[in-house]
């Protein structure tokens, strides 16, 4: 049956930044599809709360602390999970930040922080968990990029974020090319404006609201679950011939 291809029973999935927003929606969707989900979070309170919420729904989830900017932590978590479960099947590199600072006013520390989390963190985790996946001969890595890697958002300034997400998209293609011979697929999801708490705060600025919704052909925000369903697809056998691809989930924003 075709729908069975979307099932994730007997799979172990790791979601970085999985305790809130899009990450929580992805954690929930993967668990509902049958996976054992590890919520890897820097914010211990958010991570524990998310894991407990999923457990209360009868889903399999646990929290593990992780600072994605620390490669040693990524290595240790990958090794610990492999030892505990004997496998790691899915990695979702979701952790990320955005700073709306004009380029000429961006401090060195802010630029480096954005790249440390959004780019270096994706690479450290992909390298650590990719090693496990290559050894077992299978796996799916899903990187959360952004439509901001394809276009320049307006009216808000965010050069560091845009550049970092463009890097994630091309890193995805590079890793896909290297890891495909070993049975590991690497794809990206590039969301547009999704109705997370952070995005809804942005809508409180009238100029931002006008441009964000006015430039989106569908005229609305996406919902976190609309990104999460794509993650289930990319994690599952339903996408078994898909690697190096970028799914743009933006309500049509990038068609202009």
């Amino acid at each position: 049956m075709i729908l069975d291809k979307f099932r994730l029973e007997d799979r172990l999935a790791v979601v970085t930044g999985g305790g809130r927003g899009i990450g929580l929606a992805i954690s929930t969707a993967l668990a509902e599809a049958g996976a054992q989900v590890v919520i890897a979070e820097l914010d211990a309170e958010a991570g524990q709360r998310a894991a407990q919420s999923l457990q209360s729904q009868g889903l399999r989830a646990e929290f593990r602390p992780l600072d994605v900017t620390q490669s040693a932590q990524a290595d240790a978590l990958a090794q610990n999970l492999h030892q505990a479960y004997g496998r790691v099947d899915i990695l979702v590199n979701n952790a990320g930040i955005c700073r709306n600072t004009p380029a000429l006013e961006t401090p060195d520390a802010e630029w480096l922080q954005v790249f440390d989390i959004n780019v270096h963190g994706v690479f450290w985790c992909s390298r650590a968990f990719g090693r496990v996946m290559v050894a077992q001969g299978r796996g799916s890595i899903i990187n959360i990029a952004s439509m901001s890697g394809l276009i320049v958002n307006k009216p808000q300034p965010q050069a560091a974020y845009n550049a970092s997400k463009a890097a994630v998209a091309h890193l995805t293609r590079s890793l896909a090319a290297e890891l495909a011979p070993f049975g590991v697929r690497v794809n990206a999801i590039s969301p547009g404006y999704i109705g997370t708490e952070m995005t809804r705060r942005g809508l409180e600025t009238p100029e931002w609201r006008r441009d964000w919704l006015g430039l989106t052909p569908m005229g609305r925000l996406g919902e976190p679950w609309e990104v999460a369903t794509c993650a289930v697809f990319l994690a599952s056998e339903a996408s078994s011939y898909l690697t190096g691809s970028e799914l743009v989930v933006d309500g049509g924003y990038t068609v202009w």
Side-chain angles (χ1 to χ4, degrees):
M1 298 292 291
I2 290 298
L3 289 181
D4 291 338
K5 300 293 186 183
F6 291 86
R7 299 301 304 171
L8 297 174
E9 279 84 2
D10 301 319
R11 306 286 179 83
L12 180 69
V14 178
V15 183
T16 70
R20 64 181 70 202
I22 291 173
L24 177 56
I26 291 173
S27 297
T28 303
L30 294 177
E32 288 182 353
Q36 165 76 44
V37 175
V38 175
I39 296 170
E41 259 283 357
L42 178 63
D43 184 338
E45 182 178 349
Q48 290 170 342
R49 183 170 59 245
Q52 290 168 359
S53 175
L54 295 187
Q55 291 164 5
S56 71
Q57 300 172 53
L59 301 173
R60 296 183 297 158
E62 65 174 281
F63 159 69
R64 294 289 187 102
L66 176 66
D67 180 348
V68 299
T69 69
Q70 303 300 309
S71 64
Q73 289 190 27
D75 291 339
L77 181 59
Q79 293 168 8
N80 290 341
L81 291 176
H82 184 250
Q83 290 171 357
Y85 292 96
R87 61 191 299 159
V88 179
D89 303 286
I90 301 155
L91 168 67
V92 182
N93 284 308
N94 168 77
I97 62 169
C98 181
R99 296 287 183 262
N100 298 122
T101 306
L104 302 187
E105 300 172 15
T106 299
D108 292 5
E110 182 175 298
W111 178 275
L112 292 172
Q113 182 192 38
V114 170
F115 270 75
D116 274 345
I117 296 172
N118 293 5
V119 182
H120 302 157
V122 169
F123 181 72
W124 304 146
C125 291
S126 296
R127 184 179 65 182
F129 288 94
R131 287 168 175 161
V132 173
M133 293 176 181
V134 165
Q136 67 193 17
R138 62 174 293 167
S140 175
I141 297 174
I142 303 165
N143 297 326
I144 305 303
S146 171
M147 71 172 185
S148 302
L150 298 167
I151 51 88
V152 176
N153 305 68
K154 65 184 294 287
Q156 76 276 21
Q158 51 185 53
Y161 180 80
N162 295 352
S164 73
K165 291 303 184 176
V168 169
H170 204 52
L171 175 59
T172 297
R173 291 184 284 270
S174 301
L175 291 173
E178 287 195 36
L179 301 185
F182 303 100
V184 179
R185 298 184 298 110
V186 188
N187 293 287
I189 302 173
S190 288
Y193 291 115
I194 305 300
T196 61
E197 180 181 347
M198 181 175 66
T199 300
R200 294 189 186 282
R201 284 201 306 269
L203 288 180
E204 295 173 2
T205 301
E207 184 183 11
W208 291 20
R209 182 182 186 87
R210 181 199 67 205
D211 285 353
W212 291 7
L213 298 183
L215 290 172
T216 301
M218 292 184 73
R220 68 172 176 87
L221 298 179
E223 294 299 330
W225 69 264
E226 292 177 298
V227 179
T229 53
C230 295
V232 172
F233 169 62
L234 292 176
S236 73
E237 290 303 312
S239 61
S240 58
Y241 197 52
L242 203 67
T243 197
S245 293
E246 181 178 0
L247 300 186
V248 183
V249 188
D250 68 349
Y253 191 104
T254 56
V255 303
W256 300 119

